């Protein structure tokens, strides 16, 4: 029985490596240098697949991967259908924020009930956030470089992930609202957890033990 683990390249892969090691799993190739999308590991029964961060929940939902690691940002957008989310791995930590241009008076715009134009990759998150506040927004879907939108008049505000705040600062933007703390979660296909329980449970246990709190 093979266990397939879905990961994205970059910070999630790097920060998941020590957790995999704790479960006795070592990739035999580095996704940064290999062009392979299916990576073997030291264990004949465990393989990794490398997918786009926002696609991890989809692979696990449909059982193409048994286990995955996905940011809470991505899980909020996906909705989490069919996914068991047993562990907050406490990795890839950042914050979901609303940001505007340095010279934009966000408080009065909101107070005056102005219709805000908000550009974001996180349409569902943004919709939920502003609906809960009773703020009317026009959402503009982007796929990256959200920081540019307020600078060229595409939007009044953006909803984006912030860690150090360096990118906002470099682009004369300021964070005006904190929507949520974000970290990555372990996601497991619910059917796989039952059918492959004896293989999957030890991996979950090893991850749980290795998590930094
Ligand atoms: P892609 O670049 O393929 O569109 P992505 O930008 O979502 O995907 P990453 O930048 O690797 O991919 O982010 C993966 C996950 O890491 C995100 O879903 C989020 O949970 C987290 N993350 C994103 N930006 C940061 C950050 N600046 N600091 C810490 N964690 C972050
Ligand atoms: Mg990115």
């Amino acid at each position: 029985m093979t266990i397939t683990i879905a990961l994205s390249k970059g910070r999630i892969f790097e920060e998941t490596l020590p957790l995999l090691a704790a479960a006795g799993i070592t990739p035999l190739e580095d996704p940064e240098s290999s062009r392979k999308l299916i990576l073997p590991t030291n264990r004949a029964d465990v393989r990794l697949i490398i997918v786009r961060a926002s696609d991890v929940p989809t692979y696990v939902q449909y059982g193409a991967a048994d286990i995955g690691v996905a940011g809470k940002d991505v899980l909020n957008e996906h909705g989490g259908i069919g996914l068991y989310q047993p562990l907050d791995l406490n990795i890839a930590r950042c914050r979901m924020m609303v940001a505007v241009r340095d010279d934009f008076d966000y408080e009065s715009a909101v107070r005056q009930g102005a219709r805000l134009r908000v550009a974001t990759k996180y349409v569902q998150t943004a919709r939920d956030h502003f609906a809960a506040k009773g703020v009317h927004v026009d959402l503009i879907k982007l796929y990256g470089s959200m920081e540019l939108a307020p600078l060229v008049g595409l939007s009044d505000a953006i909803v984006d992930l912030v860690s150090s705040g360096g990118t906002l600062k470099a682009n004369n933007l300021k964070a005006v609202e904190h929507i949520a703390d974000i970290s990555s979660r372990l996601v497991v296909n619910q059917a796989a957890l039952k059918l492959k329980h004896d293989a999957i449970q030890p991996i979950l246990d090893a991850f749980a033990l290795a998590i930094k709190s």
Side-chain angles (χ1 to χ4, degrees):
M1 200 186 305
T2 301
I3 301 299
T4 301
I5 304 176
L7 297 173
S8 53
K9 273 206 265 194
R11 58 170 66 85
I12 287 189
F13 185 86
E14 298 303 328
E15 296 189 41
T16 303
L17 274 181
L19 302 174
L20 289 171
I25 300 166
T26 311
L28 297 182
E29 281 182 70
D30 176 1
E32 297 301 335
S33 53
S34 171
R35 289 172 182 237
K36 284 190 193 164
L37 297 175
I38 301 179
L39 303 182
T41 72
N42 62 316
R43 280 176 50 176
D45 63 333
V46 180
R47 62 180 184 170
L48 308 182
I49 61 172
I50 303 300
V51 305
R52 192 85 185 254
S54 46
D55 291 334
V56 168
T58 307
Y59 278 85
V60 178
Q61 172 190 356
Y62 288 98
D66 302 299
I67 299 172
V69 175
K72 190 82 181 89
D73 51 327
V74 160
L75 290 166
N76 285 342
E77 292 296 308
H78 173 271
I81 319 131
L83 303 178
Y84 172 52
Q85 299 184 32
L87 293 174
D88 182 348
L89 302 177
N90 228 358
I91 60 172
R93 292 177 63 173
C94 51
R95 294 182 299 163
M96 188 67 74
M97 307 284 284
V98 181
V100 297
R101 267 166 65 148
D102 277 339
D103 58 3
F104 185 79
D105 189 350
Y106 180 73
E107 292 308 322
S108 10
V110 167
R111 211 181 315 116
Q112 287 160 16
R115 219 180 156 82
L116 275 186
R117 298 225 301 178
V118 179
T120 188
K121 176 162 134 184
Y122 303 104
V123 172
Q124 198 53 50
T125 299
R127 187 178 291 121
D128 294 346
H129 173 70
F130 289 107
K133 284 170 59 83
V135 174
H136 293 288
V137 292
D138 291 317
L139 293 172
I140 300 172
K141 167 80 183 182
L142 290 178
Y143 293 87
S145 301
M146 268 82 83
E147 295 85 0
L148 183 60
L151 304 180
V152 295
L154 179 62
S155 71
D156 302 308
I158 60 173
V159 167
D160 197 7
L161 295 175
V162 178
S163 46
S164 70
T167 307
L168 291 184
K169 209 166 174 203
N171 290 292
N172 301 310
L173 301 174
K174 60 183 176 189
V176 288
E177 254 168 19
H178 173 228
I179 299 179
D181 288 324
I182 300 293
S183 56
S184 289
R185 316 289 159 115
L186 195 67
V187 294
V188 184
N189 178 277
Q190 283 171 350
L193 184 60
K194 292 199 191 92
L195 295 169
K196 303 184 182 178
H197 185 268
D198 292 353
I200 291 177
Q201 193 59 47
I203 298 176
L204 304 193
D205 293 343
F207 272 46
L209 256 177
I211 291 169
K212 289 175 277 176
S213 44

